[in-house]
Each structure stands twice: as C-alpha cells, then as structure tokens.
Amino acid sequence: MAPGHVFWAIFYFACLCSASLANNAKVNFREKEKKILDQILGAGKYDARIRPSGINGTDGPAIVRINLFVRSIMTISDIKMEYSVQLTFREQWLDERLKFDDIGGRLKYLTLTEANRVWMPDLFFSNEKEGHFHNIIMPNVYIRIFPYGSVLYSIRISLTLACPMNLKLYPLDRQVCSLRMASYGWTTADLVFLWKEGDPVQVVKNLHLPRFTLEKFLTDYCNSKTNTGEYSCLKVDLLFKREFSYYLIQIYIPCCMLVIVSWVSFWLDQGAVPARVSLGVTTLLTMATQTSGINASLPPVSYTKAIDVWTGVCLTFVFGALLEFALVNYASRSDMHRENMKKKRREMEQASLDAASDLLDTDSNATFAMKPLVRHPGDPLALEKLRQCEVHMQAPKRPNCCRSWLSKFPTSPLKKVPCLGRGQCSRSKRIDVISRITFPLVFALFNLVYWSTYLFREEEED
C-alpha cells in the first residue's frame, strides 16, 4: 500500500474515534442521568411509602437534619400576636436505596423537582396560622440526590406564625417568638429531627424591622409526648427588642406636653373662666383620645401594661388641673361671701355705736360724766377698743400649722377679693400658687419612680 493511502486511512480512523468519544461524552452526562434515575426510582425498585433505614442500615429511626435561612421578617403584630416570616427550609437525610455510580466523580448529584417520587419526612410547623409556597416563575423547590444516597430537600415558603406575647412592660418589653417544627405521624422510634451541625440557622444581613430589632436567636429541641407516642420536635426562639425611640416620640413626649399645657391654667387669672375651662377640657379630651388610640393598637389583656400606668397618671394630672380650677372658683366665691359678711358686721357695729351715742347725748344728767368717755361715730379708737373686748371674750384658739405654712406664700390680693385681715390674702390665689409648685414636683417624682421601676424590671428579665 502506498504511503499516501496509509496516511489517509490513519487520519480517517482518528476522526471516527474522536466523534465516537464526543458522542459517548454527551450520553454520559445527559442520557446517563436519565438511566440512573430510571434505575433507582423505577417501578418495583423504590417505594416512597417506606422510610429509610437507620444509621449503618440498622432498624433504628431515620435521622433528618434541618437548617433554615431566614430571608425576611415582614410584620410583627401586637394585636393579633403573630409574625410573618419568609425562609428557605432545608432537610437532609440518608436513603441508601438511592445510591448510584457517579461515573468517576463526573456526576455530583441528581436533581428532582417532584417531591412525591422519593420518601419525605412528614414535618409540619406546629404554631403555623397561614402559609404558602412560592411558584413564580417556577416552583421554588428542588431535591438533590447525592451518589452515596444522601437527599437534600430545599423549598422557599412564607409563614404566619403565632407568637404569644407578654405585654406587661409594653413598650419597654422584649418578645420571644418561636418557630416550631415537628413530625406529624412518625414517632421517635421511626423518625428523629436534629439540627444541622455548625450553623443551623442563618439570617439575612441588614434585616430591618419597623418597630423591633432582632437581638439573637436560639435553637433547641421540644419533643412532645401524647397518647399516641413521642414525637420529635425542633424550635427556633427569635428574641425581638422593641424600638423605644418610636414610642418616645409618638406617645411619651406628647403626653408630657399635654400635662404641662394643662398647668398653664394655674397662671391665668381666676376671673378668666372661659379660658381656664376651655384649656382644661381641651387637654382632657386630647389626652383621652391619645389613650384610646394607644389601646386600639393593642389586644385587650387582663393585666396592666406599663403604657396603661403612664397614660392613666397623665390623664389624672390633666383631670386634676381641671378640678383645681373648680376648687379655685369655689374658694374665690367663698372669699367674696366672707368679705361681704364682715362688711355687714362692721355696718351693724357702726349702727349700734351711733345709737349708743344718741342715747348718751339725750341724757342731760349724765352728760358731764360720760361725754369725756364717749367717742364720736367712726372714731377708730372706739372701734379698736370694741374689737379688743370681743377678742378677750372669745376662747383662745390653738395655732394652725397649715395656716402658718400657707401664710408664708407671698400672694397678692385680687381686685375683687381683697386681703382678709392682717397678713391674710385670698385663698383662691394661694391655691393657684401651691398648684404651680405641687403639680410639677409630683409629676417629676412620678417620672422618677416610673422609669426606675420599669427599667429595673426590664434588666431583671434580661
């Protein structure tokens, strides 16, 4: 054979070999996967109703390891006592019936999208209220089967879960919301859930909540025993701290401002009745509206919350300022009545002195003896003598400590109600002056006790 023919024969044989290898390579990666799936999941070879064997092929319980990735926490509702979370849920277990040849490491795993073709743990979320899968654009679920028989199941779901809350320290509270996962039908003799070693729960970075901060989370076990047996259970406790700055701006500062505004009436004149009444009623109604708005955003509970104490005391202070004006008005009218009575008494005394003087003047026999002792009507010395006689005739009074203390306040007399006697001024004015000092001091003392008590209780719970 000529050398040229030999060369072309060798070249043709090499081309045939390379094409055959290329075709074999394509069959190994695509057709081989189908053959393996048909081989391990074919009819009569695999029954999805039978659970996998235990560790090392024993008759022990199947071990399923769980891990979660928290994608977002949408809402935390105080009034419904629930929270909504979106997460990627993963389960992994060993099923030796699904072992296959990885073709020298060229097949890392097989992927399925039909969960009903393999055995699945009957896990459910015990504190779930609502939940749904995500199917846009395709169902967000996959199953991976590894060469040594390990199965990984992953799905994205959104859940609304119950979260019983203790609102005694609201809004200075911390809440623990749980995510519980348990087996519905398989007991611990057949199925056991375990947390994946290492990092079983991951949370997305920069997780933002409107009124809460996720401080930390803890994983634990919560196996339950019933009449039908013991069931495996896992739980995640999410510790949320309420953001106090929102409530400080929306509730506490406005309530303080309303209480302080109600004190303005103490500085208004007693005669400004429309202004003081309007101010008191307006602040009282505003405070009542604020209280009802706060209660509308919270569930009706049988115990007293921290915010109830705050709004109740603030409402009491505003109501007390309104009652203070009623007391001032009553004291003012009482002072006027007392002054009118004293004026009438002076007129009666003057009239009696005038009558006595007339009788003395008409008695001519006693004129020479009595005229030097008789004073003319309106003589201040005669009035002073008469008052001294009246004082000496009255029983001695015990000193009043409260009156002595109140007399120290430098109050100025009103136009309509002048000072009553020596060193005594209007009682209504004195009530206003005392209120200007007493109300702020008592409110400051309340703030000291309130914040000390609830902040200390918050540290105790931590």
Side-chain angles (χ1 to χ4, degrees), residues 3 42 146 185 373:
F146 294 87
L373 300 176

Side-chain angles (χ1 to χ4, degrees), residues 345-453:
R345 186 182 302 172
R346 292 195 201 99
E347 292 177 353
M348 293 177 64
E349 291 175 356
Q350 185 66 33
S352 62
L353 288 175
D354 291 343
S357 299
D358 293 340
L359 290 175
L360 291 175
D361 289 340
T362 54
D363 192 355
S364 57
N365 297 329
T367 299
F368 70 95
M370 297 297 295
K371 275 187 177 181
L373 300 176
V374 175
R375 301 294 178 182
H376 294 286
D379 193 345
L381 183 58
L383 294 175
E384 184 66 24
K385 293 287 185 179
L386 183 60
R387 291 194 183 96
Q388 289 179 3
C389 293
E390 291 178 354
V391 170
H392 286 298
M393 292 173 64
Q394 295 177 356
K397 294 183 178 180
R398 299 179 61 184
N400 193 329
C401 298
C402 295
R403 185 179 296 273
S404 301
W405 179 75
L406 292 177
S407 63
K408 296 179 182 179
F409 288 96
T411 57
S412 59
L414 299 176
K415 294 181 181 179
K416 296 183 178 180
V417 186
C419 290
L420 306 178
R422 187 182 305 170
Q424 294 183 357
C425 290
S426 160
R427 289 185 302 172
S428 59
K429 185 67 176 179
R430 184 167 292 135
I431 292 173
D432 272 342
V433 174
I434 295 173
S435 300
R436 295 172 192 172
I437 301 173
T438 305
F439 273 71
L441 285 179
V442 176
F443 190 68
L445 179 62
F446 162 70
N447 274 270
L448 179 63
V449 174
Y450 178 86
W451 296 113
S452 301
T453 301

Side-chain angles (χ1 to χ4, degrees), residues 262-300:
S262 68
W263 299 341
V264 174
S265 64
F266 304 153
W267 300 86
L268 299 179
D269 190 78
Q270 292 97 325
V273 176
R276 297 188 69 163
V277 171
S278 301
L279 182 63
V281 173
T282 302
T283 52
L284 182 63
L285 293 177
T286 306
M287 191 65 216
T289 304
Q290 180 86 347
T291 303
S292 62
I294 295 170
N295 293 330
S297 61
L298 294 172

Side-chain angles (χ1 to χ4, degrees), residues 46-53 62 93 95 97 118-120 186:
Y46 184 86
D47 193 344
R49 299 172 297 177
I50 307 301
R51 71 168 180 87
S53 58
W93 66 92
D95 193 342
R97 297 172 294 175
V118 298
W119 176 86
M120 293 290 299
W186 298 97

Side-chain angles (χ1 to χ4, degrees), residues 68 87 89 123-129 157 159 161 179-182:
L68 305 173
L87 51 87
F89 174 74
L123 181 140
F124 77 105
F125 297 94
S126 58
N127 60 333
E128 172 203 353
K129 287 186 173 181
I157 53 178
L159 300 170
L161 304 163
L179 173 63
R180 294 173 176 267
M181 299 160 286

